[in-house]
Protein backbone atom coordinates (compact mmCIF):
# COMPACT_ATOMS: atom_id res chain seq x y z
CA UNK A 1 0.00 0.00 0.00
CA UNK A 2 0.97 3.59 -0.58
CA UNK A 3 0.57 6.19 2.15
CA UNK A 4 -0.20 9.57 0.55
CA UNK A 5 0.29 12.86 2.40
CA UNK A 6 -0.92 16.28 1.19
CA UNK A 7 -0.37 19.65 2.92
CA UNK A 8 0.14 22.11 0.06
CA UNK A 9 -2.53 24.61 1.08
CA UNK A 10 -5.19 24.52 3.81
CA UNK A 11 -6.15 20.84 3.77
CA UNK A 12 -4.21 18.37 5.90
CA UNK A 13 -4.78 15.02 4.21
CA UNK A 14 -3.59 11.41 4.36
CA UNK A 15 -4.78 8.37 2.43
CA UNK A 16 -4.00 4.73 1.83
CA UNK A 17 -4.21 3.48 -1.73
CA UNK A 18 -3.23 0.08 -3.13
CA UNK A 19 -0.83 -0.34 -6.04
CA UNK A 20 -3.88 -1.14 -8.20
CA UNK A 21 -5.57 2.14 -7.32
CA UNK A 22 -8.13 1.03 -4.73
CA UNK A 23 -8.77 3.68 -2.07
CA UNK A 24 -8.57 2.10 1.39
CA UNK A 25 -8.95 5.39 3.24
CA UNK A 26 -8.99 9.08 2.39
CA UNK A 27 -8.93 11.51 5.32
CA UNK A 28 -9.11 15.27 4.74
CA UNK A 29 -9.05 17.78 7.55
CA UNK A 30 -9.93 21.19 6.15
CA UNK A 31 -8.69 24.35 7.82
CA UNK A 32 -11.12 26.50 5.81
CA UNK A 33 -13.00 27.54 8.95
CA UNK A 34 -9.75 28.69 10.54
CA UNK A 35 -8.90 30.99 7.61
CA UNK A 36 -12.44 32.21 6.84
CA UNK A 37 -12.26 35.24 9.13
CA UNK A 38 -9.15 36.44 7.27
CA UNK A 39 -10.88 36.08 3.87
CA UNK A 40 -8.12 33.79 2.56
CA UNK A 41 -5.43 31.34 3.61
CA UNK A 42 -2.82 32.79 5.98
CA UNK A 43 0.38 30.81 5.23
CA UNK A 44 1.86 30.94 8.73
CA UNK A 45 -1.43 29.90 10.33
CA UNK A 46 -1.74 27.05 7.80
CA UNK A 47 1.75 25.70 8.54
CA UNK A 48 1.14 25.65 12.28
CA UNK A 49 -2.19 23.90 11.87
CA UNK A 50 -0.65 21.28 9.54
CA UNK A 51 1.93 20.61 12.23
CA UNK A 52 -0.82 19.89 14.76
CA UNK A 53 -2.92 17.81 12.38
CA UNK A 54 -0.50 15.79 10.27
CA UNK A 55 0.14 13.00 12.79
CA UNK A 56 -3.49 12.45 13.86
CA UNK A 57 -4.62 12.58 10.22
CA UNK A 58 -2.09 9.88 9.22
CA UNK A 59 -3.20 7.77 12.19
CA UNK A 60 -6.83 8.17 11.20
CA UNK A 61 -6.04 7.13 7.61
CA UNK A 62 -4.34 3.98 8.93
CA UNK A 63 -7.26 3.24 11.29
CA UNK A 64 -9.84 3.69 8.57
CA UNK A 65 -7.93 1.34 6.28
CA UNK A 66 -7.53 -1.11 9.19
CA UNK A 67 -3.83 -1.01 8.42
CA UNK A 68 -0.58 -0.47 10.29
CA UNK A 69 2.62 1.21 9.19
CA UNK A 70 3.94 -2.32 8.50
CA UNK A 71 1.49 -2.51 5.60
CA UNK A 72 2.91 0.61 3.91
CA UNK A 73 5.40 -0.03 1.07
CA UNK A 74 5.86 3.52 -0.21
CA UNK A 75 5.23 7.02 1.11
CA UNK A 76 4.02 9.57 -1.46
CA UNK A 77 3.96 13.26 -0.60
CA UNK A 78 3.24 16.57 -2.31
CA UNK A 79 6.53 18.36 -2.97
CA UNK A 80 5.00 21.43 -4.68
CA UNK A 81 3.61 23.74 -5.91
CA UNK A 82 1.91 25.31 -2.90
CA UNK A 83 2.73 27.26 0.26
CA UNK A 84 6.38 26.53 1.09
CA UNK A 85 5.90 26.34 4.85
CA UNK A 86 2.79 24.17 4.53
CA UNK A 87 4.50 21.82 2.05
CA UNK A 88 7.50 21.40 4.35
CA UNK A 89 5.30 20.03 7.14
CA UNK A 90 3.96 17.21 4.94
CA UNK A 91 7.35 16.58 3.37
CA UNK A 92 9.06 16.32 6.77
CA UNK A 93 6.36 13.99 8.08
CA UNK A 94 6.71 11.80 4.97
CA UNK A 95 10.50 11.68 5.29
CA UNK A 96 10.22 10.74 8.96
CA UNK A 97 7.81 7.86 8.30
CA UNK A 98 9.75 6.60 5.27
CA UNK A 99 13.18 6.93 6.89
CA UNK A 100 12.15 5.22 10.13
CA UNK A 101 10.88 2.21 8.19
CA UNK A 102 13.48 2.29 5.40
CA UNK A 103 10.79 2.80 2.78
CA UNK A 104 11.10 4.53 -0.60
CA UNK A 105 9.55 8.00 -0.96
CA UNK A 106 7.72 9.33 -4.01
CA UNK A 107 7.78 13.15 -4.31
CA UNK A 108 4.57 14.19 -6.09
CA UNK A 109 3.78 17.27 -8.13
CA UNK A 110 0.42 18.55 -6.85
CA UNK A 111 -0.91 19.11 -10.37
CA UNK A 112 0.05 15.58 -11.38
CA UNK A 113 -1.84 14.54 -8.24
CA UNK A 114 -5.05 16.24 -9.44
CA UNK A 115 -4.73 14.42 -12.79
CA UNK A 116 -4.06 11.13 -11.00
CA UNK A 117 -7.46 11.43 -9.28
CA UNK A 118 -8.66 10.00 -12.62
CA UNK A 119 -6.47 6.88 -12.25
CA UNK A 120 -8.21 5.61 -9.11
CA UNK A 121 -10.70 2.77 -9.07
CA UNK A 122 -13.49 2.09 -9.79
CA UNK A 123 -13.68 4.48 -12.77
CA UNK A 124 -10.13 4.52 -14.13
CA UNK A 125 -9.50 6.78 -17.13
CA UNK A 126 -6.56 5.76 -19.31
CA UNK A 127 -4.52 8.39 -21.22
CA UNK A 128 -4.42 9.91 -23.76
CA UNK A 129 -6.83 12.74 -22.96
CA UNK A 130 -7.06 16.51 -22.77
CA UNK A 131 -7.26 17.63 -19.15
CA UNK A 132 -8.74 20.84 -17.79
CA UNK A 133 -7.28 21.39 -14.32
CA UNK A 134 -9.19 24.16 -12.56
CA UNK A 135 -8.50 24.79 -8.88
CA UNK A 136 -7.97 27.61 -6.40
CA UNK A 137 -4.36 27.97 -7.47
CA UNK A 138 -4.27 26.89 -11.14
CA UNK A 139 -6.15 26.88 -14.41
CA UNK A 140 -4.41 24.68 -16.95
CA UNK A 141 -5.11 22.87 -20.18
CA UNK A 142 -2.96 19.77 -20.27
CA UNK A 143 -2.03 17.23 -22.87
CA UNK A 144 -1.87 13.91 -21.02
CA UNK A 145 -0.23 11.10 -22.99
CA UNK A 146 1.05 8.93 -20.13
CA UNK A 147 0.12 8.29 -16.51
CA UNK A 148 3.43 9.68 -15.29
CA UNK A 149 3.24 13.18 -16.69
CA UNK A 150 1.59 15.97 -18.68
CA UNK A 151 2.38 18.83 -21.05
CA UNK A 152 0.98 22.34 -20.55
CA UNK A 153 -1.00 23.72 -23.53
CA UNK A 154 -2.55 26.77 -21.90
CA UNK A 155 -2.90 28.52 -18.56
CA UNK A 156 -4.37 31.55 -16.84
CA UNK A 157 -2.32 34.71 -17.21
CA UNK A 158 -3.75 36.14 -13.98
CA UNK A 159 -6.29 34.69 -11.51
CA UNK A 160 -7.06 30.98 -11.34
CA UNK A 161 -10.65 29.89 -12.01
CA UNK A 162 -11.20 28.89 -8.37
CA UNK A 163 -9.81 32.23 -7.29
CA UNK A 164 -12.31 33.96 -9.61
CA UNK A 165 -15.12 31.96 -7.97
CA UNK A 166 -13.81 32.84 -4.50
CA UNK A 167 -13.41 36.55 -5.28
CA UNK A 168 -16.88 36.66 -6.84
CA UNK A 169 -18.29 34.96 -3.77
CA UNK A 170 -16.65 37.57 -1.61
CA UNK A 171 -18.28 40.41 -3.57
CA UNK A 172 -21.62 38.66 -3.01
CA UNK A 173 -20.94 38.26 0.71
CA UNK A 174 -20.71 34.47 0.63
CA UNK A 175 -17.59 34.06 2.79
CA UNK A 176 -14.39 32.14 2.08
CA UNK A 177 -13.82 29.88 0.16
CA UNK A 178 -17.03 30.71 -1.64
CA UNK A 179 -16.92 28.65 -4.85
CA UNK A 180 -19.37 26.01 -3.64
CA UNK A 181 -21.65 28.63 -2.03
CA UNK A 182 -21.73 30.65 -5.27
CA UNK A 183 -22.60 27.45 -7.14
CA UNK A 184 -25.58 26.91 -4.78
CA UNK A 185 -26.80 30.53 -4.94
CA UNK A 186 -26.55 30.54 -8.75
CA UNK A 187 -29.21 27.80 -8.94
CA UNK A 188 -31.82 30.35 -7.77
CA UNK A 189 -30.81 33.06 -10.26
CA UNK A 190 -31.13 33.97 -13.93
CA UNK A 191 -27.83 33.39 -15.78
CA UNK A 192 -28.87 35.78 -18.56
CA UNK A 193 -29.71 38.68 -16.20
CA UNK A 194 -26.26 40.29 -16.50
CA UNK A 195 -23.59 40.13 -19.17
CA UNK A 196 -20.05 39.47 -17.91
CA UNK A 197 -17.74 39.04 -20.89
CA UNK A 198 -14.56 37.07 -20.25
CA UNK A 199 -11.49 38.35 -22.09
CA UNK A 200 -10.00 36.05 -24.72
CA UNK A 201 -6.22 35.99 -24.42
CA UNK A 202 -3.89 33.80 -26.44
CA UNK A 203 -5.35 30.80 -28.15
CA UNK A 204 -5.60 28.50 -25.18
CA UNK A 205 -4.99 30.85 -22.27
CA UNK A 206 -7.39 32.29 -19.71
CA UNK A 207 -7.79 35.66 -18.01
CA UNK A 208 -10.22 36.02 -15.12
CA UNK A 209 -9.20 39.27 -13.48
CA UNK A 210 -11.43 41.50 -15.67
CA UNK A 211 -14.66 39.61 -15.14
CA UNK A 212 -14.23 39.85 -11.38
CA UNK A 213 -13.96 43.66 -11.65
CA UNK A 214 -17.07 43.72 -13.86
CA UNK A 215 -18.97 41.88 -11.13
CA UNK A 216 -17.74 44.32 -8.52
CA UNK A 217 -18.98 47.31 -10.55
CA UNK A 218 -22.32 45.67 -11.30
CA UNK A 219 -22.80 44.99 -7.59
CA UNK A 220 -21.94 48.59 -6.70
CA UNK A 221 -24.31 50.00 -9.30
CA UNK A 222 -27.19 48.00 -7.88
CA UNK A 223 -26.90 49.79 -4.52
CA UNK A 224 -29.96 48.96 -2.41
CA UNK A 225 -31.17 46.50 -5.01
CA UNK A 226 -28.11 44.28 -4.54
CA UNK A 227 -29.67 42.04 -1.91
CA UNK A 228 -32.60 41.06 -4.18
CA UNK A 229 -30.35 40.50 -7.20
CA UNK A 230 -27.56 38.42 -5.61
CA UNK A 231 -28.74 35.14 -7.11
CA UNK A 232 -28.95 36.71 -10.60
CA UNK A 233 -25.43 38.10 -10.23
CA UNK A 234 -24.12 34.73 -9.05
CA UNK A 235 -25.79 32.87 -11.92
CA UNK A 236 -24.59 35.33 -14.58
CA UNK A 237 -21.06 35.44 -13.19
CA UNK A 238 -20.85 31.65 -12.98
CA UNK A 239 -22.20 31.36 -16.53
CA UNK A 240 -19.34 33.60 -17.76
CA UNK A 241 -16.63 31.62 -15.95
CA UNK A 242 -18.03 28.27 -17.06
CA UNK A 243 -18.41 29.42 -20.65
CA UNK A 244 -14.73 30.46 -20.79
CA UNK A 245 -13.60 27.14 -19.33
CA UNK A 246 -15.79 25.07 -21.64
CA UNK A 247 -14.86 26.98 -24.81
CA UNK A 248 -11.12 26.73 -24.23
CA UNK A 249 -11.27 23.08 -23.18
CA UNK A 250 -13.16 22.19 -26.38
CA UNK A 251 -10.76 24.29 -28.48
CA UNK A 252 -7.76 22.59 -26.89
CA UNK A 253 -9.23 19.14 -27.46
CA UNK A 254 -9.85 19.93 -31.13
CA UNK A 255 -6.40 21.45 -31.65
CA UNK A 256 -4.54 18.63 -29.96
CA UNK A 257 -6.71 15.94 -31.54
CA UNK A 258 -7.92 14.48 -28.26
CA UNK A 259 -11.25 12.67 -28.32
CA UNK A 260 -11.60 12.72 -24.52
CA UNK A 261 -11.77 15.75 -22.22
CA UNK A 262 -11.24 15.23 -18.49
CA UNK A 263 -11.80 17.81 -15.74
CA UNK A 264 -10.08 17.80 -12.34
CA UNK A 265 -9.45 20.19 -9.41
CA UNK A 266 -11.77 21.97 -7.01
CA UNK A 267 -13.73 23.78 -9.73
CA UNK A 268 -14.52 20.39 -11.34
CA UNK A 269 -17.09 20.12 -8.52
CA UNK A 270 -19.07 23.00 -10.06
CA UNK A 271 -22.55 21.80 -11.02
CA UNK A 272 -22.95 24.08 -14.05
CA UNK A 273 -19.54 23.09 -15.43
CA UNK A 274 -20.45 19.41 -14.99
CA UNK A 275 -23.76 19.95 -16.78
CA UNK A 276 -22.39 22.15 -19.61
CA UNK A 277 -19.35 20.06 -20.46
CA UNK A 278 -21.50 16.95 -20.38
CA UNK A 279 -19.28 15.00 -22.79
CA UNK A 280 -16.28 15.24 -20.42
CA UNK A 281 -15.04 12.82 -17.76
CA UNK A 282 -15.06 14.57 -14.39
CA UNK A 283 -13.08 13.50 -11.35
CA UNK A 284 -15.42 12.01 -8.72
CA UNK A 285 -16.84 14.77 -6.48
CA UNK A 286 -15.01 13.43 -3.43
CA UNK A 287 -11.67 13.73 -5.26
CA UNK A 288 -12.05 17.19 -6.87
CA UNK A 289 -10.80 19.33 -4.00
CA UNK A 290 -7.42 18.65 -2.40
CA UNK A 291 -6.98 15.17 -0.95
CA UNK A 292 -4.20 12.64 -0.42
CA UNK A 293 -5.71 9.72 -2.36
CA UNK A 294 -4.82 11.54 -5.58
CA UNK A 295 -1.26 12.09 -4.27
CA UNK A 296 -0.87 8.39 -3.45
CA UNK A 297 -2.30 7.62 -6.88
CA UNK A 298 0.29 9.84 -8.61
CA UNK A 299 3.00 8.25 -6.46
CA UNK A 300 2.37 4.96 -8.29
CA UNK A 301 3.56 6.41 -11.59
CA UNK A 302 6.20 9.09 -10.99
CA UNK A 303 9.71 9.22 -9.56
CA UNK A 304 10.34 7.12 -6.47
CA UNK A 305 13.49 7.63 -4.39
CA UNK A 306 14.98 4.67 -2.51
CA UNK A 307 15.84 4.88 1.20
CA UNK A 308 17.55 7.15 2.29
CA UNK A 309 18.09 9.28 -0.82
CA UNK A 310 15.23 11.66 -0.08
CA UNK A 311 16.42 13.24 3.16
CA UNK A 312 17.65 16.43 1.46
CA UNK A 313 14.54 16.78 -0.71
CA UNK A 314 13.16 20.34 -0.67
CA UNK A 315 9.67 21.69 -1.35
CA UNK A 316 8.99 24.06 -4.25
CA UNK A 317 6.41 26.84 -4.10
CA UNK A 318 5.71 27.40 -7.81
CA UNK A 319 5.52 25.28 -10.93
CA UNK A 320 9.06 24.72 -12.26
O1 LIG B 1 -8.24 21.85 -5.85
P1 LIG B 1 -8.56 22.71 -4.70
O2 LIG B 1 -9.09 22.07 -3.46
O3 LIG B 1 -7.30 23.52 -4.21
C1 LIG B 1 -6.25 23.93 -5.00
O4 LIG B 1 -5.39 23.09 -5.39
O5 LIG B 1 -6.22 25.15 -5.26
O6 LIG B 1 -9.56 23.83 -5.23
C2 LIG B 1 -10.20 24.73 -4.37
C3 LIG B 1 -11.01 25.70 -5.19
C4 LIG B 1 -11.54 26.88 -4.40
O7 LIG B 1 -11.26 28.07 -5.10
C5 LIG B 1 -13.03 26.62 -4.33
O8 LIG B 1 -13.81 27.78 -4.22
C6 LIG B 1 -13.27 25.90 -5.63
O9 LIG B 1 -12.15 25.05 -5.77
N1 LIG B 1 -14.54 25.15 -5.64
C7 LIG B 1 -15.58 25.43 -6.45
C8 LIG B 1 -16.61 24.52 -6.12
N2 LIG B 1 -16.16 23.71 -5.11
C9 LIG B 1 -14.88 24.11 -4.84
N3 LIG B 1 -15.72 26.36 -7.41
C10 LIG B 1 -16.89 26.38 -8.08
N4 LIG B 1 -17.93 25.55 -7.81
C11 LIG B 1 -17.83 24.62 -6.85
N5 LIG B 1 -18.87 23.79 -6.60
ZN1 LIG C 1 -5.20 21.35 -5.53
Amino acid sequence: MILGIETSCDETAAALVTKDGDIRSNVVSSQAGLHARFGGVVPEVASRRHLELVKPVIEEALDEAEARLDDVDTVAVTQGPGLAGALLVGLSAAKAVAWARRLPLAPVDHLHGHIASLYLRPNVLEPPFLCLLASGGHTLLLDVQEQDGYRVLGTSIDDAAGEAFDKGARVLGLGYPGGAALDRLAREGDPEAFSFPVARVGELDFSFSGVKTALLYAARELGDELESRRADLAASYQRALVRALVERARDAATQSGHGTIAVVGGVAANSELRATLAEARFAPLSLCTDNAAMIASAGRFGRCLPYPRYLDLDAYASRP
Side-chain angles (χ1 to χ4, degrees):
M1 270 198 293
I2 301 154
L3 167 65
I5 300 173
E6 151 67 36
T7 62
S8 69
C9 191
D10 62 343
E11 262 96 29
T12 316
L16 283 151
V17 168
T18 66
K19 289 244 149 71
D20 295 332
D22 279 315
I23 303 174
R24 290 291 167 80
S25 64
N26 189 19
V27 178
V28 181
S29 175
S30 175
Q31 311 176 4
L34 188 65
H35 300 280
R37 65 192 153 121
F38 303 110
V41 179
V42 183
E44 179 64 22
V45 174
S47 306
R48 287 169 190 270
R49 193 73 183 131
H50 282 308
L51 206 51
E52 290 167 357
L53 289 173
V54 71
K55 192 164 166 274
V57 165
I58 292 173
E59 283 164 354
E60 199 179 324
L62 287 165
D63 278 354
E64 246 179 51
E66 293 178 10
R68 299 180 315 138
L69 279 177
D70 285 342
D71 302 315
V72 175
D73 305 296
T74 306
V75 182
V77 62
T78 308
Q79 189 186 7
L83 302 169
L87 287 162
L88 282 173
V89 176
L91 192 56
S92 307
K95 284 179 189 175
V97 173
W99 183 79
R101 312 193 74 84
R102 300 181 170 243
L103 298 175
L105 183 145
V108 172
D109 167 86
H110 184 80
L111 309 175
H112 184 213
H114 274 297
I115 303 169
S117 64
L118 298 163
Y119 306 147
L120 287 161
R121 284 184 177 174
N123 286 311
V124 179
L125 179 67
E126 302 277 348
F129 53 85
L130 183 283
C131 186
L132 167 64
L133 190 170
S135 69
H138 298 90
T139 311
L140 294 159
L141 287 166
L142 308 164
D143 171 27
V144 181
Q145 294 288 345
E146 308 281 344
Q147 277 150 326
D148 63 355
Y150 58 86
R151 192 168 64 88
V152 178
L153 301 175
T155 185
S156 172
I157 60 164
D158 40 52
D159 293 349
E163 207 178 342
F165 269 101
D166 292 339
K167 287 178 175 171
R170 190 175 182 169
V171 170
L172 298 173
L174 297 173
Y176 172 86
L182 195 148
D183 187 353
R184 281 192 296 275
L185 179 62
R187 282 172 214 162
E188 297 155 28
D190 173 9
E192 304 295 337
F194 297 87
S195 160
F196 293 122
V198 176
R200 271 211 92 123
V201 290
E203 249 182 289
L204 296 178
D205 288 332
F206 302 89
S207 167
F208 291 117
S209 66
V211 67
K212 165 199 71 192
T213 313
L215 173 70
L216 187 64
Y217 287 152
R220 272 195 199 148
E221 261 170 40
L222 282 169
D224 293 343
E225 243 192 285
L226 174 61
E227 195 44 44
S228 60
R229 303 296 304 278
R230 276 168 71 238
D232 286 344
L233 282 172
S236 304
Y237 183 70
Q238 173 170 278
R239 173 65 55 92
L241 298 182
V242 166
R243 195 171 279 164
L245 292 170
V246 169
E247 273 176 15
R248 301 294 193 291
R250 286 188 179 140
D251 287 353
T254 308
Q255 283 185 30
S256 55
H258 280 296
T260 306
I261 299 177
V263 191
V264 301
V267 178
N270 184 264
S271 60
E272 185 168 345
L273 181 60
R274 292 178 96 93
T276 310
L277 201 56
E279 75 272 27
R281 255 296 290 274
F282 282 80
L285 275 179
S286 59
L287 299 176
C288 287
T289 46
D290 288 347
N291 63 85
M294 69 183 198
I295 301 303
S297 177
R300 295 178 296 150
F301 304 106
R303 196 159 64 107
C304 193
L305 304 168
Y307 166 88
R309 274 198 239 145
Y310 38 78
L311 290 180
D312 61 349
L313 205 65
D314 205 356
Y316 56 88
S318 38
R319 201 157 55 83

